[in-house]
Amino acid sequence: MSVRRLLGGALAFLVAGAVVVPATTTAASGATPAPDRTSAVEARRVDSLPVPKITWFDCSVITPRGACGTVRLPVDYDQPKGATTEVALFRVKVADPKKKIGTLFLNPGGPGGSGVQFAAAAPFFLAPDVLAKFDIVGVDPRGTNFSDNVRCFKDLGAQAKALSGLNTPFPTTATQREAYIKSAMAFGKTCSTAGQPLVSSMSTAEVARDMDVLRRTFGDTKLSYLGFSYGTYLGQVYANMFPDRVRAVAIDGVLDPVAWSGSQGATPEPQTQRLKSGEGAYRALVKILDLCKTSGPDFCNLAAMGDPRTLFNQAMADLRANPIVISDPETGEVFFTLDYATATAMLLGDLYSPDGSMFVDWDLSSIVSITQDPMARKAATRRAAAALQARAETKAAADRAAKVKLAKAGARAGWGFPYDNSPEAFQSVLCSDGTNPSSARLWPYFTATAQRNAPGFGPLWSWASAPCASSTWTATDEDAYRGPFTKRTANPVLVVGNYWDPATNYAGAVKASTLLPNSRLVSSNSWGHTAYGTSECVTKAVDTYLLTAAVPPVGTRCVGDQQPFTDPIEQPQEQLRQSGTSRILPPVVAPVQGALPRL
């Protein structure tokens, strides 16, 4: 969901500061262990490349002191003098170069999210102290966005036809499953041929190599990096490939690197099922439903209608059996079909927001009102559909306006807006990085388990990797990184985990911090996807770390500034959340309604 609200001040009764448990000894007394070294192979790949020339042009029309750039980098680092691909970047320079510490690289997730657009928004979500000390750089990973695009289809029409079976969040009927599997297989076969050569050079390891070359190009002896969601995997890969070149790597919304890569032996599960994202989302939703019940009808509409968990289960069961077609009563034009998969995707989008409990309450209340009374189904459908449609139209209008605004600004800056390759970008990185079962026809078997473990959300996440089935997605990157993820870095890595993250399960942060011997875990009782900006405590810890490379105490635990159902329903929500700051939350990659979930 793209709702990213202005950073609000914490209410007086919310705990914003860290609760620090006693530190434990993490290393034997004596000298600090030396960091692991970049391997000779990797050093030769990146260091033998002459410093590339970046072509800059003014982008201050996008943001003050903004500059757009392009640079040509090797398609294959084993052949540095061979074919190249153009990579796009955006830089926001410090106001006073005398105060500059270095360059801070950013990545918003995806995979395939635009680092260019993320860096352009950085002045609105990063702390003034950070902006004053770093040039901010965002890179569009090779093959994506404003970089040279990986492209598997001749035009959008061919793309839409080939991928038509993927037009549901996840299949629930035999007909949908067959269409989904056929499109997943066609996707893999087409990209593995027509997408060459880029499709075989888009693993996260290649982006890490690009980033290390750019680090050297900007004159930094070590890397400073802030990555969110999938961007945390990029941070972990860099830290393990170039451990002695780490100054500060902060990762928030952390992927379990072993689960993502499938590097711990042969595993039969789909890549997006191994991550346990579905379990994290279901756990967050159930917690919200329980808090709704505890808070009562003065704070949660659903509590006035009955037991929230029971209502949720009944509504979802009804939608599985009887999807509701929302149409114009006069013309018969179908607006959309509200079914089990669509409702699950809607709730997942709600959970991405730090105040997602409010949206869950709104949406579930509407869905329950549709399904609760069969005798009044048509009337309830009209009322609830009007509310849902109004929300959808408002959201769509806002998205269109934002795209038009960005397009106009980008056109003035010289950006082009070609064929939308976001499906290929997402899948090319996903399939290059991780192992998957051999055939898309095996996914129904795995998603049955996912459904038992995390109803709705498990299949939603699991099906996303079906195009990566190894018998049809045959393109491989021989230089992808498969581990280990246990290298000792020159400076500590800061790992941030959010208990209620619906996309990157908190267990991923725990796993990453356990693997990295020189790391520090900050945990947060926050809501939504990622924690930076949602908790004053987390934000301060990350900012301090980026500026000083010093990690907070062992056992630091934070609390999100916004907690579910703390505001009475009749109280104006917006006024309660306003504060004197103009900072927004980081615009990490969010799911698109009806599309694959994003990390």
Side-chain angles (χ1 to χ4, degrees):
M1 183 173 184
S2 62
V3 178
R4 306 296 290 177
R5 294 185 173 266
L6 292 176
L7 180 63
L11 298 177
F13 49 84
L14 289 182
V15 180
V19 178
V20 181
V21 301
T24 57
T25 302
T26 57
S29 59
T32 301
D36 288 315
R37 301 294 299 273
T38 298
S39 72
V41 172
E42 287 301 341
R44 183 169 59 251
R45 281 173 173 154
V46 295
D47 296 344
S48 62
L49 190 74
V51 174
K53 180 182 178 181
I54 301 175
T55 301
W56 292 106
F57 53 100
D58 179 47
C59 272
S60 57
V61 68
I62 305 292
T63 193
R65 300 187 305 283
C68 297
T70 59
V71 61
R72 301 208 70 87
L73 296 169
V75 171
D76 183 352
Y77 275 92
D78 290 328
Q79 302 177 33
K81 295 183 180 180
T84 61
T85 185
E86 187 175 79
V87 171
L89 53 157
F90 191 96
R91 179 173 66 179
V92 183
K93 299 190 73 172
V94 296
D96 183 355
K98 294 179 180 178
K99 297 180 179 179
K100 180 180 171 182
I101 292 175
T103 305
L104 177 63
F105 288 83
L106 305 178
N107 183 281
S114 175
V116 165
Q117 295 184 29
F118 200 56
F124 303 102
F125 68 80
L126 286 178
D129 287 350
V130 174
L131 295 167
K133 297 296 180 66
F134 289 99
D135 285 349
I136 307 300
V137 170
V139 180
D140 276 352
R142 51 174 54 210
T144 75
N145 300 289
F146 299 111
S147 296
D148 281 346
N149 280 191
V150 62
R151 182 166 173 170
C152 302
F153 305 95
K154 67 177 182 178
D155 54 41
L156 286 175
Q159 183 195 67
K161 182 179 179 180
L163 306 186
S164 61
L166 308 182
N167 64 353
T168 178
F170 61 95
T172 57
T173 68
T175 300
Q176 287 178 341
R177 281 191 291 273
E178 183 61 22
Y180 201 105
I181 288 168
K182 285 184 176 180
S183 283
M185 295 169 70
F187 198 171
K189 290 178 180 178
T190 304
C191 275
S192 295
T193 53
Q196 297 291 0
L198 266 180
V199 74
S200 291
S201 300
M202 285 182 61
S203 72
T204 299
E206 306 291 7
V207 182
R209 294 178 185 111
D210 291 345
M211 193 158 62
D212 192 64
V213 170
L214 291 172
R215 170 199 60 77
R216 179 162 53 93
T217 303
F218 286 120
D220 289 37
T221 57
K222 288 183 169 60
L223 180 81
S224 298
Y225 175 80
L226 174 60
F228 298 89
S229 199
Y230 157 77
T232 67
Y233 186 68
L234 173 57
Q236 292 177 80
V237 169
Y238 184 93
N240 283 280
M241 288 174 61
F242 306 104
D244 51 342
R245 303 181 183 189
V246 167
R247 176 194 167 272
V249 168
I251 51 177
D252 177 9
V254 184
L255 294 177
D256 176 340
V258 174
W260 179 266
S261 64
S263 59
Q264 199 171 62
T267 176
E269 282 188 312
Q271 184 177 2
T272 47
Q273 190 164 330
R274 292 194 299 262
L275 293 172
K276 309 298 182 186
S277 297
E279 285 86 339
Y282 184 69
R283 177 172 170 265
L285 178 71
V286 169
K287 182 66 173 179
I288 284 174
L289 296 177
D290 289 346
L291 290 172
C292 170
K293 179 178 180 179
T294 302
S295 300
D298 289 341
F299 292 84
C300 180
N301 291 296
L302 201 61
M305 304 173 76
D307 177 74
R309 276 212 212 188
T310 301
L311 291 171
F312 165 72
N313 290 330
Q314 290 174 342
M316 294 297 105
D318 189 87
L319 288 177
R320 289 194 78 172
N322 302 292
I324 298 171
V325 178
I326 309 298
S327 60
D328 188 316
E330 296 181 359
T331 66
E333 178 188 0
V334 175
F335 294 132
F336 65 95
T337 298
L338 182 63
D339 58 11
Y340 178 56
T342 303
T344 301
M346 181 185 299
L347 293 172
L348 177 64
D350 293 343
L351 292 170
Y352 267 63
S353 175
D355 50 3
S357 58
M358 178 172 64
F359 298 116
V360 167
D361 185 28
W362 288 352
D363 284 338
L364 266 182
S365 295
S366 296
I367 292 170
V368 167
S369 72
I370 292 174
T371 61
Q372 195 173 47
D373 184 358
M375 297 299 295
R377 188 179 180 92
K378 290 185 178 180
T381 299
R382 293 192 193 97
R383 291 194 302 271
L388 291 170
Q389 187 65 20
R391 256 194 77 193
E393 290 176 351
T394 301
K395 169 71 166 53
D399 287 348
R400 287 194 298 270
K403 288 179 180 178
V404 168
K405 183 178 180 181
L406 180 62
K408 288 180 177 178
R412 292 196 298 272
W415 289 355
F417 290 83
Y419 165 98
D420 177 16
N421 84 324
S422 55
E424 291 101 311
F426 172 83
Q427 221 70 52
S428 294
V429 179
L430 186 76
C431 302
S432 295
D433 277 350
T435 60
N436 280 282
S438 60
S439 172
R441 296 200 175 277
L442 295 172
W443 257 253
Y445 167 78
F446 292 110
T447 55
T449 300
Q451 174 68 15
R452 289 192 295 271
N453 293 339
F457 298 103
L460 178 66
W461 283 103
S462 185
W463 275 104
S465 53
C468 296
S470 59
S471 65
T472 44
W473 192 286
T474 56
T476 58
D477 185 346
E478 62 182 8
D479 296 323
Y481 189 76
R482 303 296 186 197
F485 297 95
T486 56
K487 298 295 183 70
R488 179 174 290 277
T489 51
N491 289 295
V493 173
L494 184 65
V495 180
V496 179
N498 168 9
Y499 293 154
W500 308 109
D501 196 307
T504 48
N505 197 318
Y506 172 71
V510 175
K511 182 66 169 289
S513 65
T514 301
L515 291 170
L516 285 166
N518 191 15
S519 66
R520 183 61 46 83
L521 173 65
V522 171
S523 304
S524 186
N525 183 21
S526 293
W527 295 85
H529 182 33
T530 74
Y532 185 87
T534 74
S535 162
E536 182 180 344
C537 164
V538 168
T539 306
K540 183 178 179 180
V542 172
D543 290 343
T544 300
Y545 168 74
L546 292 174
L547 290 166
T548 66
V551 293
V554 172
T556 296
R557 286 175 170 79
C558 297
V559 177
D561 298 338
Q562 292 177 235
Q563 295 293 317
F565 309 118
T566 55
D567 305 330
I569 293 171
E570 69 275 7
Q571 205 161 348
Q573 306 284 320
E574 284 300 320
Q575 291 182 11
L576 285 171
R577 293 193 174 90
Q578 292 298 326
S579 69
T581 180
S582 59
R583 288 172 66 183
I584 63 172
L585 297 179
V588 297
V589 175
V592 177
Q593 188 66 41
L596 296 174
R598 304 295 297 277
L599 289 159

